């Protein structure tokens, strides 16, 4: 077993999942302002360390993705944030892309940037304690999109990123997110997501990536947020599994879904059914941002010093997701 494979399994095994707390300052400002909390470095740290020091970390969370600001912060408990996360048994990770910019040649689409100077930045993050990383490519669906250009360019960037990350002894999360925005059908989402994931692995293989040391972070197969016709959770699970079985090489140890705008319970229910029907060798778990933090953030915003109340809500959410990652969740457990 390679060292990279060991790290990936440490993050994903036993129903554990990933807390995606890597919102950029821009996104975090939107989240905090939506609950009327000023977005200062101190408040961003306070919310995040409230989660990172909760008891649920030990039982449910295998990895935490951080943003550059947070990995460099020291917690109010006088330890660095990566130390606080490692103490709970979880692996510290870091988002290393520098965001999605307009794609020259196809102005309605995005290309994720951040390759320049990446090798040096990775060495620094490794020193700070990171053992895995994230890079998100983003694709929108319409009649024309995603274009071949966007699929090719983003897949190529994901592969070059992955090569540099593995060279530095860390596990790359490869995140090609096909957005829920739009009124497309689930079938269209299935077709476009399949094409995107296939292209990503073609590029990863050309770039000689050790696939046993990669975590894929895809979207689930859903109808667009504005679509008239939604599909059931059973259908989401079946289509998502079909898409992954057809397009992900079996050497990949695990898949950690993004929540992408689903509610907390939707994201949990869909993951649970994916695991109930999982007839693959892939570990299927979560790497949720909003679907792990939304309720906790709302509660915290009313009294930012109520640490134990906020942690209780976070622990419950992480517990539900971890049950779903083992196919052991049920709706009744939500209210217990
Ligand atoms: P959501 O679960 O809120 O979609 O965030 C996951 C993520 O990391 C997106 O890049």
């Amino acid at each position: 077993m390679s060292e990279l494979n060991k790290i990936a399994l440490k993050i994903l095994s036993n129903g554990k999942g990933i807390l995606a707390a890597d919102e950029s300052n821009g996104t975090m400002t939107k989240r905090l302002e939506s609950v009327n909390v000023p977005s200062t470095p101190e408040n961003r740290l306070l919310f995040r360390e409230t989660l990172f020091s909760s008891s649920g970390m030990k039982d449910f969370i295998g990895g935490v993705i951080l943003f550059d600001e947070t990995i460099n912060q020291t917690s109010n408990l006088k330890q660095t944030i990566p130390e606080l996360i490692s103490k709970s048994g979880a692996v510290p990770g870091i988002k290393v892309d520098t965001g999605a910019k307009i794609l020259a040649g196809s102005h309605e689409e995005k290309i994720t940037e951040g390759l320049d100077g990446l090798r040096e930045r990775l060495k620094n993050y490794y020193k700070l304690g990171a053992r895995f990383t994230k890079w998100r490519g983003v694709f929108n669906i319409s009649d024309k999109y995603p274009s071949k250009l966007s699929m090719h360019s983003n897949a190529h960037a994901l592969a070059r990123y992955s090569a540099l990350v593995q060279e530095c002894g860390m596990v790359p999360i490869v995140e090609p997110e096909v957005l829920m925005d739009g009124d497309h059908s689930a079938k269209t989402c299935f077709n476009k997501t399949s094409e995107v994931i296939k292209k990503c692995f073609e590029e990863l293989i050309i770039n000689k990536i050790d696939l046993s040391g990669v975590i894929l972070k895809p979207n689930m197969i859903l109808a667009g947020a504005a679509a008239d016709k939604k599909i059931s959770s059973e259908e989401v699970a079946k289509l998502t599994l079909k898409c992954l079985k057809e397009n992900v090489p079996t050497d990949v140890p695990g898949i950690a879904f993004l929540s992408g705008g689903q509610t907390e319970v939707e994201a949990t229910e869909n993951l649970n059914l994916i695991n109930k029907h999982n007839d693959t060798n892939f570990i299927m778990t979560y790497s949720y941002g909003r679907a792990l933090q939304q309720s906790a953030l709302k509660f915290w915003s009313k009294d930012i010093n109520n640490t134990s109340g906020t942690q209780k809500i976070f622990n419950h959410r992480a517990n539900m997701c971890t049950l779903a990652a083992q196919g052991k969740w049920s709706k009744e457990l939500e209210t217990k």
Side-chain angles (χ1 to χ4, degrees):
M1 194 192 285
S2 73
E3 282 307 309
L4 294 174
N5 183 244
K6 274 190 211 155
I7 298 171
L9 292 179
K10 177 165 186 212
I11 297 169
L12 305 173
S13 295
N14 306 319
K16 287 190 177 181
I18 299 171
L19 167 59
D22 61 318
E23 298 87 356
S24 64
N25 285 349
T27 302
M28 197 57 187
T29 297
K30 274 192 228 146
R31 301 258 196 279
L32 290 176
E33 286 178 352
S34 76
V35 291
N36 299 315
V37 175
S39 181
T40 59
E42 294 74 27
N43 284 345
R44 292 193 287 269
L45 174 63
L46 183 60
F47 177 64
R48 285 164 165 160
E49 72 165 295
T50 301
L51 303 188
F52 303 162
S53 53
S54 64
S55 61
M57 287 286 297
K58 188 168 76 45
D59 298 323
F60 312 126
I61 302 296
V64 180
I65 318 174
L66 300 167
F67 182 59
D68 180 73
E69 175 183 80
T70 324
I71 202 171
N72 285 293
Q73 282 173 319
T74 298
S75 92
N76 293 314
L77 306 164
K78 302 286 172 259
Q79 41 196 341
T80 68
I81 291 295
E83 280 165 0
L84 176 64
I85 291 167
S86 301
K87 213 181 65 187
S88 74
V91 181
I94 179 77
K95 186 229 302 285
V96 301
D97 67 65
T98 55
K101 311 284 158 57
I102 290 170
L103 174 62
S106 185
H107 278 217
E108 290 175 339
E109 297 186 282
K110 300 267 177 70
I111 176 72
T112 302
E113 295 189 345
L115 289 171
D116 288 350
L118 181 57
R119 185 179 266 131
E120 287 65 41
R121 288 196 292 127
L122 290 172
K123 284 184 191 149
N124 189 40
Y125 287 138
Y126 189 96
K127 274 194 217 137
L128 290 170
R131 291 296 177 270
F132 75 105
T133 65
K134 175 186 124 174
W135 179 290
R136 170 177 174 264
V138 60
F139 305 88
N140 46 314
I141 295 187
S142 75
D143 302 346
K144 309 187 266 186
Y145 304 134
S147 66
K148 295 271 179 235
L149 175 61
S150 109
M151 284 191 275
H152 177 85
S153 312
N154 278 296
H156 181 72
L158 276 162
R160 286 190 54 205
Y161 139 83
S162 298
L164 287 163
V165 169
Q166 290 196 335
E167 181 187 276
C168 198
M170 296 189 279
V171 167
I173 290 188
V174 171
E175 181 180 10
E177 176 172 8
V178 180
L179 295 170
M180 262 170 87
D181 303 348
D183 59 3
H184 53 268
S185 65
K187 185 163 185 289
T188 303
C189 177
F190 175 88
N191 290 337
K192 308 266 180 179
T193 303
S194 298
E195 212 181 328
V196 164
I197 292 179
K198 186 164 184 262
K199 188 75 200 161
C200 285
F201 282 105
E202 273 171 30
E203 289 287 333
L204 289 172
I205 289 164
I206 291 170
N207 281 269
K208 304 189 166 53
I209 304 306
D210 168 7
L211 296 179
S212 76
V214 165
I215 297 171
L216 177 68
K217 175 163 173 165
N219 50 285
M220 294 177 189
I221 305 300
L222 304 163
D228 294 335
K229 199 169 159 280
K230 296 285 189 298
I231 57 169
S232 68
S233 289
E234 281 284 343
E235 286 171 288
V236 171
K238 285 193 182 137
L239 285 175
T240 303
L241 278 165
K242 182 168 156 59
C243 170
L244 297 170
K245 267 198 281 196
E246 288 176 0
N247 297 292
V248 184
T250 51
D251 288 350
V252 172
I255 293 172
F257 295 96
L258 58 95
S259 60
Q262 300 178 74
T263 65
E264 291 176 342
V265 173
E266 263 167 12
T268 310
E269 181 168 16
N270 289 338
L271 178 64
N272 187 58
L273 286 170
I274 289 170
N275 275 291
K276 272 196 185 298
H277 295 298
N278 186 6
D279 54 354
T280 70
N281 290 322
F282 304 126
I283 296 171
M284 300 278 193
T285 187
Y286 57 92
S287 174
Y288 292 162
R290 284 162 287 180
L292 271 177
Q293 300 181 69
Q294 227 155 34
S295 297
L297 179 66
K298 214 162 156 193
F299 181 91
W300 174 80
S301 70
K302 300 205 179 85
D303 175 4
I304 64 171
N305 294 312
N306 189 345
T307 305
S308 64
T310 307
Q311 290 180 338
K312 202 169 152 205
I313 293 174
F314 174 71
N315 288 340
H316 172 73
R317 212 53 262 140
N319 187 5
M320 292 298 106
C321 289
T322 282
L323 287 170
Q326 301 164 94
K328 293 181 183 164
W329 173 88
S330 72
K331 228 174 216 147
E332 295 74 58
L333 295 169
E334 285 290 342
T335 46
K336 272 196 185 148

